[in-house]
Amino acid sequence: MSVSANPLLPDGYDIAWVLVTVALLTLMLVALVSLARHATRLTGGQTLGWTLLTVLVPIIGPITWLAIGRRTAATRPDVT
């Protein structure tokens, strides 16, 4: 017999939420690393905006950066 912290929820829910949280944090980390690598091609305001979007909007922000922002930054010449 398993003793759970919350007797109303099965242990499977705890495992599922941990996996979802780890997946979201991994997605955010991948997006932030990619953003840091492309930061030389963006202005300071653009970098700040993408960083805030990625951190404050957990699912949509990183996916938007990886799908749209990264391609846009890769086509621009280096900003000096």
Side-chain angles (χ1 to χ4, degrees):
M1 182 170 172
S2 173
V3 178
S4 178
N6 185 351
L8 300 177
L9 293 175
D11 291 334
Y13 286 107
D14 292 337
I15 294 170
W17 281 113
V18 167
L19 292 176
V20 167
T21 302
V22 168
L24 289 175
L25 289 174
T26 302
L27 179 64
M28 188 182 303
L29 182 65
V30 167
L32 288 173
V33 168
S34 173
L35 179 60
R37 289 183 178 180
H38 288 87
T40 59
R41 293 190 171 107
L42 300 172
T43 63
Q46 290 172 329
T47 303
L48 178 64
W50 278 112
T51 302
L52 289 175
L53 182 71
T54 300
V55 172
L56 297 177
V57 186
I59 297 172
I60 297 170
I63 290 174
T64 304
W65 165 253
L66 293 172
I68 298 170
R70 186 169 56 166
R71 279 189 284 156
T72 305
T75 59
R76 293 183 185 157
D78 288 337
V79 175
T80 55

